[in-house]
Amino acid sequence: MKGLLNFGQMLSAHARITPSRVGARDLERSMTFKQWNERSCRLANALLSLSLNKGDRVAILAYNCVEWCEIFAATAKAGLVALPINFRLIGKEVQFIINNGEAAAFIVQDELVGVVEEIRKDISIKANRFIHFGMRACPAGYRDYEDFLAAGSARDPSQNVDLSDPWTLMYTSGTTGNPKGVVRSHRSAVLLSMVTEIELGLHRNDGALLVMPMCHANSLNFFGAFGYCGGVNSIYSRKSFDPEHAVRTLAEGGSTFTSLVPTHYIMMLGLPQAVRGKYNYDDLTKLMISSAPARPETKREVMEMFPNSGLFELYGATETGWVTMLHPHEQFTKLGSVGRECVGAAPIRILDEAGNEVPDGQPGELYCCNAHTFDCYWRLPEKTKEAFRGDYCSVGDMARRDDDGYIHLSDRKSNMIICGGENIYPSEVEALVGAHPMVKDVAVIGLPDEKWGERVHAVIVPHDGATLKESDLLEWSKERLAGYKRPRSYAFIAESEMPRNATGKVLHRELKKKFSN
């Protein structure tokens, strides 16, 4: 792939060709391609001045803001690996990722310094490699981000970065409770950007409003595509989603595209008609709905609210990038499907447990094969091996193919809960709730929720004679779990009522059936 540029190199090209065009912004600030490139070069050189070596991981803990654009570009230019961390995680969860990913430097937004300070003595990053940015004064023990950039050279670093080198290490929860690091190369990112541009018909006059967290693969992947084609990346720099503010930003912010989870759309659809109807959405031409199952009625209402916007739906994963896409003209004829393979991909395979292809219409495990699949799970060769059958990759999702070749998801990763677009694995929640001294057994399931898609529900078997209240468990989980992972509701049952198979394994599906009614 001689001549193919990675993201950092492509940013330099845009800065040379269209220096005065706005390339990146958030709700408060904006940068031309020239400014963005210069600041990214300064950051890249400043990081290298800390004696970081090619391939070293740079952790980032921040809310959505324009600095993400600089950090992703700087790591690409310097041959370093960006390690984004979900800002919703608690200290111990952040600590695991930092230590497991062997981060060599840490860039932290001021409002999240408290999380870092909780664990600083327990993470293996050198004292002079903590970098702080934000509106507040730089605390002791951190380098000030702006001073750090100013000390770096504005010239492109002379690092020899190959397309096969890793660019990102993103952690996704694992069914064992510990998150797994997903390693993706520059080649993977570039090829996925090209696929996205083809599927959506993007060009440099397009702009993305990136609402989902920049620490998620969804926003990172669209960020790469719009940055690669020279469009504008607009970061929705709010800590929480305000539906009326989001609607106004979509109408007045100049973006042509956004990607939202069903919960976001449901919140906007819930606004009074007087609010929804007072804005003009003509600039908005492309909408994406993804990251969680979308009900047909939700999609219909979205298309009614934004009549000039084509609605796309995609299915993918952190490991695989985009797998399928459903296009606007297919929404009514194939409502309920997630589309067909994205351009350039080999035909999807739907396999039974023995690895045999199942007939159309029958459910099986979905395997995909494309050029932008991840390289490996960080330090987990056996897990990497389990994910592949030859060149085909699976993340454990069940699906069926209809007679027209469209894919319908029939199940998700075993027992996984998707709440507001966040993946939650019951085993992790069960381990922490089950550590309560009065809990004898616990099973965690996802129950339907009109706003969030699913909510976390814990089914508890108390120890004999124990008096256990819901308030006790709410307080217990508050200290041990990120907010989006905490059970929102509880049920208390006798041990004999917990459904199990012949080997004693809890049957989560039976519980879902029972408590969904």
Side-chain angles (χ1 to χ4, degrees):
M1 295 187 183
K2 199 171 181 180
L4 195 62
L5 305 181
N6 72 25
F7 189 89
Q9 295 163 337
M10 181 56 77
L11 178 57
S12 297
H14 290 313
R16 184 180 69 253
I17 298 166
T18 56
S20 60
R21 278 173 57 88
V22 171
R25 64 189 180 193
D26 60 18
L27 297 176
E28 288 79 36
R29 297 154 292 169
S30 67
M31 296 183 289
T32 64
F33 277 109
K34 182 180 178 181
Q35 292 167 331
W36 181 9
N37 187 60
E38 180 182 323
R39 286 177 62 84
S40 299
C41 287
R42 289 187 182 279
L43 178 56
N45 286 309
L47 287 168
L48 291 171
S49 75
L50 297 178
S51 299
L52 296 184
N53 298 310
K54 182 179 176 181
D56 279 348
R57 276 72 58 204
V58 177
I60 310 105
L61 182 63
Y63 296 109
N64 274 9
C65 55
V66 77
E67 281 83 0
W68 280 100
C69 302
E70 298 170 350
I71 296 165
F72 280 132
T75 52
K77 288 175 178 289
L80 300 170
V81 179
L83 199 174
I85 299 176
N86 192 330
F87 55 78
R88 294 186 177 98
L89 298 181
I90 61 173
K92 289 294 183 184
E93 294 168 318
V94 174
Q95 178 185 327
F96 174 85
I97 291 172
I98 291 288
N99 290 338
N100 184 264
E102 300 169 18
F106 204 168
I107 301 175
V108 186
Q109 191 174 19
D110 52 15
E111 294 160 286
L112 294 162
V113 164
V115 178
V116 179
E117 289 304 296
E118 277 180 42
I119 59 170
R120 185 161 178 166
K121 67 181 186 304
D122 299 314
I123 56 180
S124 52
I125 295 177
K126 291 182 179 179
N128 68 335
R129 293 178 177 175
F130 288 81
I131 302 152
H132 164 277
F133 74 89
M135 301 300 293
R136 302 171 189 172
C138 184
Y142 291 79
R143 293 175 179 269
D144 180 78
Y145 184 85
E146 291 300 328
D147 292 344
F148 189 58
L149 261 69
S153 168
R155 295 176 64 88
D156 256 302
S158 57
Q159 290 289 91
N160 182 23
V161 183
D162 191 83
L163 285 174
S164 62
D165 291 334
W167 180 30
T168 58
L169 173 59
M170 306 191 79
Y171 275 76
T172 178
S173 296
T175 54
T176 59
N178 284 331
K180 300 191 294 289
V182 176
V183 179
R184 296 181 69 89
S185 67
H186 290 280
R187 177 181 288 108
S188 169
V190 170
L191 293 176
L192 181 55
S193 292
M194 291 180 170
V195 167
T196 307
E197 290 164 17
I198 293 168
E199 291 284 352
L200 297 181
L202 300 181
H203 49 76
R204 67 174 53 178
N205 292 325
D206 278 309
L209 180 66
L210 300 176
V211 174
M212 294 176 67
M214 292 298 291
C215 56
H216 278 209
N218 185 286
S219 278
L220 172 59
N221 292 341
F222 285 118
F223 163 80
F226 280 81
Y228 204 84
C229 74
V232 184
N233 273 300
S234 299
I235 315 300
Y236 189 72
S237 49
R238 282 208 157 197
K239 293 183 208 172
S240 59
F241 185 77
D242 178 331
E244 183 169 355
H245 183 271
V247 164
R248 185 167 67 251
T249 305
L250 286 170
E252 300 173 354
S255 295
T256 63
F257 167 87
T258 195
S259 174
L260 301 173
V261 300
T263 300
H264 291 145
Y265 285 111
I266 290 167
M267 291 171 75
M268 292 193 299
L269 292 169
L271 292 169
Q273 183 57 46
V275 173
R276 291 162 48 183
K278 69 180 180 180
Y279 298 108
N280 184 308
Y281 310 109
D282 285 352
D283 287 344
L284 191 65
T285 58
K286 303 175 183 74
L287 292 173
M288 181 65 70
I289 190 165
S290 66
S291 303
R295 298 197 309 271
E297 56 269 30
T298 299
K299 292 166 70 174
R300 286 195 185 94
E301 289 177 22
V302 169
M303 289 184 275
E304 290 170 3
M305 182 174 174
F306 302 99
N308 296 323
S309 301
L311 181 64
F312 295 78
E313 183 173 9
L314 68 79
Y315 159 71
T318 305
E319 293 92 332
T320 60
W322 315 147
V323 175
T324 65
M325 196 163 306
L326 189 70
H327 290 79
H329 69 276
E330 301 166 313
Q331 286 293 349
F332 288 112
T333 57
K334 286 296 178 181
L335 204 57
S337 133
V338 290
R340 291 181 285 195
E341 296 88 346
C342 289
V343 64
I348 284 171
R349 303 180 69 193
I350 309 290
L351 307 180
D352 62 20
E353 291 184 6
N356 301 311
E357 296 242 19
V358 301
D360 288 351
Q362 296 297 313
E365 188 170 353
L366 186 153
Y367 281 80
C368 67
C369 178
N370 58 47
H372 48 259
T373 299
F374 78 127
D375 293 2
C376 63
Y377 287 119
W378 175 257
R379 302 281 195 255
L380 294 171
E382 289 303 313
K383 291 292 183 186
T384 303
K385 186 178 178 181
E386 288 172 13
F388 286 89
R389 285 181 181 267
D391 292 331
Y392 277 76
C393 176
S394 171
V395 292
D397 288 332
M398 305 294 287
R400 61 179 176 84
R401 181 190 282 109
D402 68 21
D403 293 340
D404 298 320
Y406 286 77
I407 302 301
H408 300 252
L409 297 179
S410 54
D411 205 347
R412 296 189 301 278
K413 302 171 191 179
S414 181
N415 301 328
M416 189 177 76
I417 301 165
I418 302 180
C419 179
E422 294 281 359
N423 293 350
I424 303 165
Y425 286 88
S427 57
E428 181 184 6
V429 183
E430 287 165 357
L432 290 163
V433 174
H436 190 287
M438 294 186 186
V439 172
K440 185 174 185 179
D441 201 3
V442 55
V444 170
I445 56 175
L447 295 183
D449 186 276
E450 187 172 342
K451 180 176 181 181
W452 301 107
E454 289 185 305
R455 73 174 188 275
V456 182
H457 180 78
V459 182
I460 305 292
V461 177
H463 277 293
D464 295 341
T467 303
L468 192 57
K469 296 180 293 186
E470 184 168 319
S471 57
D472 299 328
L473 294 170
L474 288 169
E475 191 63 29
W476 176 267
S477 63
K478 186 177 180 181
E479 298 174 0
R480 292 164 175 80
L481 283 166
Y484 70 94
K485 297 180 184 178
R486 295 173 202 152
R488 301 293 177 187
S489 54
Y490 291 82
F492 298 89
I493 63 173
E495 186 172 12
S496 60
E497 295 176 277
M498 186 71 83
R500 302 177 185 276
N501 64 12
T503 61
K505 188 175 180 180
V506 172
L507 300 173
H508 288 73
R509 288 186 183 181
E510 293 300 316
L511 288 173
K512 286 191 75 166
K513 214 180 289 182
K514 177 178 179 179
F515 289 100
S516 294
N517 295 331

